[in-house]
Amino acid sequence: MEQPGYNYAIVRSFVSWSILWGLVAVLVGVLISFQLVYPDLNFPPYLTYGRLRPLHTNAGIFGWAIGSFFATFLYMVQRLTRRPLWSNGLARFQLWFFNATIIAAAITLLLGFNTSKEYHELEWPVDVMVVILWVVFAINIVMTIIKRREEQMYISLWFMLASIVGVAILYLVNAAEVPVSLFKSYSAYAGTNDANVQWWYGHNAVAMVLTAPPLAVFYYFLPKSTGVPIYSHRLSIVAFWSLIFMYLWTGAHHLLWTPVPDWIQTLAMAFSVMLIAPSWGSVFNGYLSMGGQWHQMRENYLVKFLILGITFYGLQTLQGPLQAIRSFSAFIHYTDWVPGHVHMGALGWVSLVLFAAIYYLVPRIYGRELYSIPLANLHFWLVLLGQLGYSVSMWIAGVQQAGMWHSLNPDGSLAYSFMETLIELYPYWWIRAISGVIYLVGLATFIYNLFMTVRRGKPAGAIAQNA
């Protein structure tokens, strides 16, 4: 069969850069976790918790996650459409502009230029760079799909398109702002409207950046790794449309018990609970795809990453709707429970799936066998241990924190002061910091294994030809 001239060089570049930004994200994350237990590790004005925390989240979301999705999307779209990229020139521009945007974001955040909107902290000049970057990426992916040689659109392409359209709409709406200087702007919205738009953006950014793209990756790389097709393409399509429809209404569950109108809160709460069904549609599809193949959990290191990843996605999509219920939200909101929930998704679901995808890609785009499968297994157990240590310690801390905040004396006064609750959290913060170090060691193992694969891996002609 004729082999189209696929562009794997651009995939290699995005894999390398996304790993670098991922390493930065984890290093900064470990540093700020220690800053909470050792305040002397804050070095004002640039290296304080307040400036490093948005750097950590932006490096993780935009550098590691989106950088890896660029790599996997540019690989998958060529394979699934059976044609090369529409424009290699645009892809090269996208690579360098991506890095320029990440660097600009890091510098401006460290200098203290910040919109104060969580997950949308970048000031307007960097916002413009993000928009240009996304438009370039979208044109290349969409035109490649339009010019495809494969008639059927596999489910991964649907999730890719949803992510491209969704991010564009969310970012543009939430970025509406009035610049008052080169690096300062104010939101175009005011009061509760501003809060409502911000969390409509915030929660749907989770949908369009941290749910749809990893599902696209999961649906592609699970059958590639196991050698058997997914259980049901129809179920994946039903879950896709249900997920896209329901997700857009859930953002206001971040604003329960606030001045946002009650009906908006109730609507968000109801759709959040309904969202369990399409989320678990993909989870069950993944599990059922393993029918007769569960032995690969022992034999195939890629499958371990993917199945644990989709399992954490399932747990995440049970925990999230639970938190969206008013009574439970009143108990745990603003506590350490929330970062435990977020990091189960970031370190468990998203990163495990991306680790598997990169392990699958590297031997094929470099034409070399993986340097060490035992190191890949060690990497798996280290990041799993680190992630569980982080999330479980924060869940326990959150419950204890909420319990102390809500404890009342017989006269109705608070039973504990704020400082008393804070002191009780220190042991959990130590566990979190140590868990972060374990995760970092796992990440270093991953990077070393890939580096040695490129430098000393055995030539893998058959794998490369089948890439």
Side-chain angles (χ1 to χ4, degrees), residues 66 126 183 212 220 234 259 295 310 367 382 411:
I66 290 187
V126 188
F183 286 108
Y220 181 85
R234 179 175 297 178
H295 59 92
I310 198 70
L382 285 171
D411 63 357

Side-chain angles (χ1 to χ4, degrees), residues 83-150:
R83 61 147 293 150
L85 290 175
W86 182 70
S87 170
N88 290 324
L90 273 184
R92 283 193 296 274
F93 174 79
Q94 179 194 339
L95 172 69
W96 294 110
F97 204 70
F98 163 71
N99 286 307
T101 305
I102 296 295
I103 292 169
I107 292 173
T108 53
L109 289 172
L110 288 177
L111 290 175
F113 299 114
N114 190 323
T115 65
S116 77
K117 291 185 171 184
E118 192 172 16
Y119 308 132
H120 198 151
E121 292 91 349
L122 306 179
E123 274 294 356
W124 69 270
V126 188
D127 269 349
V128 173
M129 296 178 74
V130 171
V131 172
I132 294 172
L133 175 67
W134 200 256
V135 169
V136 168
F137 169 60
I139 290 174
N140 215 2
I141 293 291
V142 171
M143 289 306 297
T144 304
I145 293 175
I146 290 174
K147 301 287 185 181
R148 69 187 186 277
R149 294 174 183 156
E150 172 62 50

Side-chain angles (χ1 to χ4, degrees), residues 147-182:
K147 301 287 185 181
R148 69 187 186 277
R149 294 174 183 156
E150 172 62 50
E151 183 178 354
Q152 184 178 7
M153 284 184 56
Y154 184 64
I155 182 61
S156 294
L157 292 177
W158 288 102
F159 277 111
M160 289 162 66
L161 289 172
S163 173
I164 287 170
V165 175
V167 168
I169 295 172
L170 293 165
Y171 207 85
L172 285 174
V173 172
N174 199 45
E177 54 204 3
V178 181
V180 293
S181 69
L182 183 58

Side-chain angles (χ1 to χ4, degrees), residues 250-310:
T250 60
H253 73 217
H254 288 264
L255 299 168
L256 300 179
W257 306 102
T258 70
V260 169
D262 263 4
W263 71 267
I264 294 179
Q265 298 181 32
T266 303
L267 186 74
M269 189 170 62
F271 272 90
S272 299
V273 174
M274 288 193 290
L275 198 55
I276 294 173
S279 302
W280 273 81
S282 290
V283 176
F284 281 128
N285 214 352
Y287 287 160
L288 292 171
S289 299
M290 291 295 293
Q293 301 296 322
W294 285 104
H295 59 92
Q296 292 200 41
M297 285 290 286
R298 296 190 307 272
E299 303 160 357
N300 186 337
Y301 66 97
L302 294 174
V303 173
K304 277 191 291 201
F305 280 97
L306 290 164
I307 293 301
L308 260 294
I310 198 70

